[in-house]
Amino acid sequence: MFAERVLSGMRPTGALHLGHYHGVLKNWVKLQGEYPCLFFVADWHALTTNYDNPQGIEQASWDMVVDWLAAGVDPEQATIFIQSKVPEHAELHLLMSMMTPLGWLERVPTYKDQQEKLAGKDLTTYGFLGYPLLMSADILIYRADKVPVGEDQIPHVEFTRELARRFNHMYGREPGFAEKVEAALARLNSKNRRSFNDLRKRFQESGDKEAVARGKALLAENEALTHDERERLAGHLEGTGKMILVEPGYLLTPESKMPGLDGQKMSKSYHNTITLRETPEEVTRKVRTMPTDPQRARRTDPGDPARCPVWQLHQVYTDETTRTALGEGCRTAGIGCLECKQPVIDGILRELAPMRERAQAYTDDPARLRAIVEAGCDKARALAQDTMRDVRSAMGLNYR
Ligand code: TRP
Ligand code: SF4
């Protein structure tokens, strides 16, 4: 029985902020307790758009890992690594590029969207066109079952699924496949063999997906089968040949509702962020200078929380009782805005204090940070090499 595997990556683009924490990292921290998780720094993906200014990428990568650890990603539970330190990703990317139709890449919606959005930059490059293919290699090389991503990345996961299917269909028919399937079937007991054959028939005749799921569960639970036999039978079940690459599913990360300092969504490009390693003085200053209800110019003017960006932060950082009192105070001009902001400041500081402490421990001891990433890279490489052995052999490259 193999546990489902979670994989996700993030491009190193600068200090992470509360939007990343509430949107992505909190979710990773939850997942690491539920599944074996792999989290990696997508530094090659950063190069696809930053090829003209690569010097900051390495430092940004280390900083990002510190931010992850600060936010509670636990290296004892999750595997943390850097994409470019597992060059097997590049080999899989290359091999898959042989059988990836150009039209598939050109039709991925982010291709044109990003070119338009980053209009000042020449993105008519080979590397940028291959962005989704590189992402597919990242996912498929770990046979990941679950990929937590934001909505914008869903087309990339769909692309990955189609590619895996094409790959299995094209290369899954190893020599002697039929005989090998027979041999593997012979290792099931007669009751399991009968239900497996029934489920296969059901799927092949009526496309019943439930039958596939049950067939795969039956294989997964069967301790007598080797990894190869299980994959061969999974391929037989779906009629694709041996299943070499696993079609991943995605876990949609709900869009972060984290508001920034100006009421828009928190985002680096809006310059409205509070970073995870911001000092308490900076946090205090930033919140104290936040704009409030524009109609509350003077302390004596009554306000309306609905018009105030600070109020959105109250939804994240204070409780119902506090909010009722402060809302009343705002509408009656009973309190001033600085007074109203204080509980938000306190809430943010309370959230950030343990993060700053953890981050400090890693910046004080860079050797420890490097050791964590080194160990993660080694673990990831071993998994990646496993898949590459099968891929090379399926593509006729197993020089022995
Ligand atoms: N493209 C992703 C993003 O920008 C990052 C990424 C690269 C990724 N490879 C991945 C995410 C593999 C999940 C799985 O957010
Ligand atoms: Fe905003 Fe609070 Fe000032 Fe009202 S009292 S305007 S909610 S900061």
Side-chain angles (χ1 to χ4, degrees):
M1 180 72 195
F2 20 55
E4 291 197 293
R5 198 178 282 160
V6 168
L7 169 109
S8 201
M10 211 189 271
R11 281 169 301 146
T13 54
L16 301 187
H17 51 65
L18 287 171
H20 294 110
Y21 178 66
H22 286 275
V24 180
L25 294 173
K26 243 171 33 182
N27 190 37
W28 285 12
V29 170
K30 178 172 83 74
L31 287 168
Q32 71 185 0
E34 298 168 356
Y35 302 98
C37 288
L38 295 145
F39 299 127
F40 74 97
V41 178
D43 55 347
W44 279 335
H45 276 104
L47 268 180
T48 63
T49 52
N50 262 26
Y51 58 85
D52 53 350
N53 178 28
Q55 291 313 324
I57 292 181
E58 189 174 329
Q59 190 54 47
S61 296
W62 292 119
D63 288 347
M64 188 165 77
V65 173
V66 170
D67 283 343
W68 291 356
L69 296 165
V73 175
D74 174 6
E76 300 284 317
Q77 297 187 70
T79 304
I80 299 172
F81 68 99
I82 296 175
Q83 185 184 34
S84 68
K85 293 218 173 206
V86 187
E88 283 79 1
H89 291 221
E91 186 185 354
L92 182 57
H93 173 254
L94 174 85
L95 289 179
M96 293 196 305
S97 77
M98 306 300 171
M99 42 75 70
T100 303
L102 207 46
W104 286 21
L105 286 168
E106 287 163 340
R107 275 195 295 275
V108 174
T110 47
Y111 180 57
K112 290 241 156 55
D113 289 356
Q114 287 297 104
Q115 282 186 336
E116 279 164 26
K117 226 173 118 192
L118 303 174
K121 180 156 276 178
D122 183 2
L123 290 181
T124 54
T125 57
Y126 184 49
F128 186 69
L129 179 66
Y131 188 111
L133 186 60
L134 181 56
M135 185 159 157
S136 297
D138 299 336
I139 297 170
L140 295 172
I141 207 160
Y142 299 106
R143 301 187 157 119
D145 311 275
K146 292 190 155 55
V147 184
V149 286
E151 181 138 41
D152 60 318
Q153 299 293 316
I154 290 177
H156 294 155
V157 182
E158 297 288 2
F159 173 88
T160 305
R161 294 171 59 84
E162 277 166 39
L163 203 65
R165 217 171 300 138
R166 180 174 167 86
F167 188 99
N168 290 335
H169 191 73
M170 205 172 264
Y171 304 116
R173 298 216 169 266
E174 50 190 340
F177 182 70
E179 292 74 28
K180 287 179 178 167
V181 164
E182 279 315 312
L185 279 173
R187 291 168 60 95
L188 299 177
N189 67 32
S190 58
K191 175 168 157 284
N192 277 340
R193 188 159 53 236
R194 210 171 320 112
S195 21
F196 182 80
N197 283 332
D198 284 349
L199 290 166
R200 176 170 187 268
K201 195 156 153 239
R202 245 172 68 195
F203 175 65
Q204 310 248 318
E205 284 172 3
S206 61
D208 182 349
K209 292 234 171 67
E210 165 74 25
V212 173
R214 282 181 48 199
K216 285 193 182 161
L218 185 150
L219 296 175
E221 282 156 19
N222 199 306
E223 310 263 347
L225 296 170
T226 66
H227 177 74
D228 271 0
E229 286 169 337
R230 207 174 274 134
E231 299 207 332
R232 220 166 264 140
L233 288 179
H236 179 58
L237 178 68
E238 295 188 87
T240 53
K242 184 177 170 186
M243 193 179 71
I244 302 164
L245 299 176
V246 174
E247 280 179 49
Y250 56 80
L251 293 173
L252 179 60
T253 310
E255 222 214 312
S256 161
K257 301 227 171 54
M258 187 67 204
L261 294 166
D262 56 359
Q264 300 186 78
K265 177 185 158 179
M266 189 177 283
S267 159
K268 191 179 164 201
S269 48
Y270 298 150
H271 305 287
N272 64 357
T273 65
I274 292 176
T275 65
L276 300 188
R277 288 189 260 164
E278 205 95 56
T279 62
E281 295 72 33
E282 265 302 279
V283 171
T284 307
R285 190 192 63 78
K286 283 185 169 180
V287 177
R288 287 175 75 103
T289 53
M290 272 181 76
T292 60
D293 175 0
Q295 295 180 27
R296 234 201 134 185
R298 275 173 305 253
R299 163 73 178 78
T300 47
D301 297 335
D304 179 358
R307 289 189 300 253
C308 178
V310 177
W311 196 245
Q312 297 185 42
L313 287 176
H314 273 291
Q315 310 310 308
V316 182
Y317 289 103
T318 57
D319 59 39
E320 186 90 48
T321 329
T322 312
R323 282 201 299 270
T324 310
L326 294 176
E328 175 69 15
C330 175
R331 277 182 287 266
T332 57
I335 57 162
C337 289
L338 287 180
E339 194 181 328
C340 178
K341 286 171 169 178
Q342 195 55 45
V344 169
I345 295 172
D346 295 340
I348 297 175
L349 292 181
R350 214 174 308 121
E351 184 168 76
L352 291 185
M355 293 196 216
R356 200 171 327 100
E357 207 169 294
R358 278 193 291 260
Q360 189 67 45
Y362 288 106
T363 44
D364 288 349
D365 187 1
R368 190 165 143 233
L369 174 67
R370 271 152 220 257
I372 287 171
V373 173
E374 203 62 47
C377 292
D378 288 346
K379 257 172 100 175
R381 212 174 290 120
L383 296 169
Q385 283 170 355
D386 232 27
T387 307
M388 284 318 295
R389 259 191 295 278
D390 292 352
V391 168
R392 285 189 210 111
S393 140
M395 291 184 77
L397 298 169
N398 56 348
Y399 298 94
R400 270 199 273 254

